[in-house]
């Protein structure tokens, strides 16, 4: 899957962008989960300034980004989570 996402990528940044695009396109949004004991809705996906893919979560009018690799996924998992696993593999 990483090869599919990074097919034309020459640099690590381009590989990250390819993986981000696949997660963004395929992850079934929105979905709810629990982060540090708080129920949140995952509304979107973004790239952080430090070069990580993050989930944009909201709860009670507050928005917070959580690293997608640190995000607890609900059961059953939303569609497209295999791309998160591909990103996890790539991130090593």
């Amino acid at each position: 899957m990483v090869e599919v996402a990074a097919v034309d990528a020459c640099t690590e940044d381009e590989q990250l962008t390819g993986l981000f695009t696949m997660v963004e396109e395929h992850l079934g949004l929105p979905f709810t989960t629990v982060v540090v004991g708080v129920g949140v809705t995952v509304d979107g996906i973004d790239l952080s300034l430090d070069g990580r893919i993050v989930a944009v979560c909201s709860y009670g009018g507050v928005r917070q980004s959580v690293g997608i690799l640190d995000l607890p996924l609900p059961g059953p998992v939303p569609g497209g989570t295999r791309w998160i696993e591909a990103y996890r593999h790539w991130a090593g």
Side-chain angles (χ1 to χ4, degrees), residues 7-78:
V7 67
D8 293 325
C10 296
T11 66
E12 195 170 287
D13 285 342
E14 290 174 349
Q15 291 174 6
L16 174 63
T17 300
L19 285 161
F20 165 74
T21 300
M22 296 308 252
V23 172
E24 184 180 46
E25 286 180 8
H26 295 284
L27 187 60
L29 296 175
F31 65 88
T32 58
T33 190
V34 177
V35 176
V36 194
V38 176
V40 300
T41 299
V42 178
D43 299 312
I45 303 297
D46 203 357
L47 278 174
S48 67
L49 294 177
D50 64 353
R52 296 177 303 130
I53 299 175
V54 296
V56 179
C57 304
S58 62
Y59 58 96
V62 176
R63 292 176 63 86
Q64 179 71 41
S65 294
V66 176
I68 197 113
L69 298 181
D70 300 322
L71 184 71
L73 294 173
V77 295

